[in-house]
């Protein structure tokens, strides 16, 4: 930090410094999210926004640590922008999306297939395990696909929240996101509003969820997912829930 003033005087527009030591895992999480946000989406080139989003990712990934506040931004730019990408839309590449869901259960399987078709049609590379080749080592292929994906789209329903496989896929995506900044989780509640079991809540309670209640919500859901992927951000906050919907939701019991 002591070198920062001299670096700024040399003409460097922004410096990110650490107030104290941080773990390698947290530093990797911060850097992966920071560079991804700085280089793409509607906030491309906006270093102050990239730092804020990277800190937030560390807060989510390391909920028991205060080190998310360690990175400090020193800025010469008046508006936080350090470069412009006039062709940012052209520079974006298709995202790799892994769909995690409970097989042989509806509406989960039908919705997963709908999302697969619509996201693929939009130009993204989508993995769904219905299309795995015969003879592939199943468990290793699942792990490889999650490591390679930019987003893990997980469908949370009454059936899937108790699925050991769905739980493992979420756990692995979370760990991979901490390591590499990839495998960002996009949770979708599929006509399900109860509390998540611990195997999922531990990873998902701090993340914004999308909501699907019936086929009438499918078009809106696809739009939300495409916007989240295009802007390299999480899902947008949901609108207010009506009193009728609130009354119909299961209440937490002790």
């Amino acid at each position: 930090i002591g070198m920062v003033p001299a670096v700024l005087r040399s003409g460097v527009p922004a410096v990110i410094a650490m107030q104290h030591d941080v773990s390698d895992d947290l530093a990797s999480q911060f850097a992966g999210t920071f560079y991804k946000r700085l280089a793409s989406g509607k906030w491309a080139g906006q270093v102050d926004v990239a730092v804020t989003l990277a800190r937030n990712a560390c807060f989510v990934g390391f909920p028991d640590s205060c080190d998310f506040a360690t990175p400090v931004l020193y800025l010469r730019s008046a508006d936080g922008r350090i470069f412009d990408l006039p062709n940012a839309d052209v520079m974006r590449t298709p995202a790799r999306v892994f769909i995690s869901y409970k097989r042989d259960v509806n509406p989960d399987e039908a919705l997963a297939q709908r999302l697969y078709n619509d996201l693929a049609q939009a130009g993204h590379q989508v993995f769904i395990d219905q299309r795995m080749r015969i003879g592939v080592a199943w468990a290793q292929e699942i792990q490889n696909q999650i490591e390679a994906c930019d987003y893990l789209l997980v469908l949370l329903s009454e059936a899937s929240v108790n699925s050991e496989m769905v739980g493992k896929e979420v756990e692995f995506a979370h760990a991979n996101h901490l390591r590499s900044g990839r495998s960002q989780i996009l949770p979708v509640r599929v006509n399900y509003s109860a509390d998540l079991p611990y195997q999922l809540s531990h990873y998902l309670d701090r993340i914004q969820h999308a909501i699907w209640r019936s086929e009438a919500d499918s078009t809106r859901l696809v739009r939300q997912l495409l916007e989240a992927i295009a802007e390299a951000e999480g899902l947008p906050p949901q609108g207010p829930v009506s009193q009728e919907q609130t009354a119909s939701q299961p209440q937490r019991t002790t």
Side-chain angles (χ1 to χ4, degrees):
I1 288 182
M3 299 176 58
V4 169
V7 174
L8 291 174
R9 284 195 298 269
S10 73
V12 174
V15 176
I16 300 172
M18 299 295 175
Q19 301 179 73
H20 55 78
D21 293 340
V22 296
S23 68
D24 290 343
D25 286 344
L26 187 138
S28 177
Q29 170 72 69
F30 180 87
T33 305
F34 171 77
Y35 287 114
K36 182 177 181 181
R37 298 297 189 260
L38 186 65
S40 64
K42 65 180 180 181
W43 300 114
Q46 199 77 31
V47 66
D48 53 343
V49 175
V51 167
T52 298
L53 294 173
R55 282 189 187 133
N56 183 65
C58 292
F59 175 70
V60 172
F62 300 85
D64 299 324
S65 171
C66 294
D67 284 347
F68 68 88
T70 298
V72 177
L73 174 65
Y74 295 85
L75 189 63
R76 295 178 69 243
S77 169
D79 62 359
R81 182 170 293 279
I82 58 174
F83 59 80
D84 290 308
L85 292 177
N87 297 318
D89 288 340
V90 176
M91 295 172 64
R92 293 175 190 161
T93 57
R96 296 174 66 103
V97 182
F98 183 107
I99 300 179
S100 174
Y101 71 105
K102 176 69 173 176
R103 292 186 62 173
D104 302 320
V105 171
N106 277 317
D108 304 46
E109 188 154 18
L111 179 58
Q113 189 63 55
R114 163 73 187 268
L115 295 176
Y116 172 87
N117 292 336
D118 287 359
L119 294 176
Q121 186 174 5
H124 298 298
Q125 301 175 41
V126 189
F127 176 84
I128 188 171
D129 64 5
Q130 289 179 340
R131 299 177 180 274
M132 196 174 296
R133 301 185 308 275
I134 296 175
V136 169
W138 176 77
Q140 185 60 51
E141 179 67 7
I142 291 292
Q143 180 172 325
N144 293 342
Q145 291 291 338
I146 293 177
E147 286 183 339
C149 78
D150 299 300
Y151 297 92
L152 181 128
L153 171 55
V154 56
L155 304 185
L156 304 171
S157 68
E158 186 174 359
S160 72
V161 296
N162 294 307
S163 165
E164 182 179 358
M165 180 53 62
V166 170
K168 288 295 185 182
E169 289 169 353
V170 168
E171 178 183 3
F172 192 80
H174 174 81
N176 192 51
H177 188 64
L178 294 183
R179 287 193 302 268
S180 67
R182 307 190 72 175
S183 308
Q184 181 176 349
I185 301 175
L186 302 176
V188 178
R189 285 180 172 262
V190 180
N191 200 26
Y192 180 80
S193 56
D195 293 338
L196 296 173
Y198 181 75
Q199 67 165 342
L200 294 173
S201 65
H202 180 64
Y203 304 112
L204 303 182
D205 274 358
R206 290 173 175 261
I207 303 176
Q208 184 65 49
H209 293 56
I211 298 172
W212 183 96
R213 296 186 180 89
S214 69
E215 181 58 32
D217 294 326
S218 295
T219 299
R220 173 188 54 77
L221 173 60
V222 170
R223 183 175 65 251
Q224 286 179 322
L225 293 170
L226 289 174
E227 289 175 354
I229 293 170
E231 296 178 2
E233 297 179 6
L235 288 160
Q238 302 298 304
V241 180
S242 69
Q243 291 183 351
E244 179 181 350
Q245 291 168 343
T246 302
S248 66
Q249 292 178 356
Q251 301 298 309
R252 178 178 297 182
T253 59
T254 58

